[in-house]
Amino acid sequence: MATHDELTESLRVFTDSYNKNERLKVMNRDWNRVVVVKANDIESLHTLTVQDGVVSIREGASDQPDLTVISDSETLADMFYGDITPTEPYNNGTLRIMGSEDDIVRLDFISLMIWGE
């Protein structure tokens, strides 16, 4: 189990890696979305906002998320650190992503662009 602080740090690493990738920022400049990340085993909620190609992070949930990512804290931290891809936890049911299919595919593509396979 990851702690709230470890999960927060993994999301900061993800955010920094995304924001340093100029190609991703250009590709997503018109994809403005709010993504809530929720651990289901500890008290930990974060909101990632993609606005004009730039990602920001804050603690707490958004009232109107476009996507909601839910899993245990360890899986979320590993995923946002880039230690694992979302594919396996998504396929085995430990990772749930709620939102439109297009947004889910885009989020998966972003993680692949940052961390590779």
Side-chain angles (χ1 to χ4, degrees):
M1 179 182 333
T3 67
H4 172 74
D5 290 340
E6 290 168 329
L7 183 51
T8 301
E9 182 58 25
S10 73
L11 289 163
R12 282 193 186 114
V13 167
F14 176 85
T15 299
D16 290 345
S17 297
Y18 174 98
N19 287 329
K20 289 177 184 172
N21 188 320
E22 291 302 319
R23 187 171 170 204
L24 268 177
K25 287 166 53 176
V26 169
M27 289 171 53
N28 292 312
R29 69 181 173 269
D30 61 350
W31 189 69
N32 298 323
R33 297 293 187 275
V34 175
V35 181
V36 169
V37 178
K38 179 181 183 348
N40 58 17
D41 61 340
I42 63 171
E43 288 292 319
S44 187
L45 269 173
H46 295 83
T47 298
L48 298 173
T49 303
V50 183
Q51 185 69 41
D52 300 324
V54 176
V55 174
S56 61
I57 181 177
R58 69 175 177 80
E59 290 198 32
S62 169
D63 292 336
Q64 299 291 328
D66 298 294
L67 287 157
T68 303
V69 178
I70 303 168
S71 190
D72 62 272
S73 56
E74 191 73 28
T75 298
L76 290 171
D78 286 348
M79 193 172 68
F80 284 102
Y81 272 129
D83 295 338
I84 61 170
T85 67
T87 305
E88 185 178 333
Y90 185 77
N91 287 340
N92 71 22
T94 58
L95 172 67
R96 289 188 339 198
I97 305 174
M98 297 179 294
S100 77
E101 189 65 33
D102 288 345
D103 286 346
I104 292 169
V105 169
R106 177 82 66 120
L107 189 61
D108 189 42
F109 180 75
I110 288 169
S111 70
L112 288 174
M113 289 285 296
I114 293 173
W115 307 124
E117 293 193 43

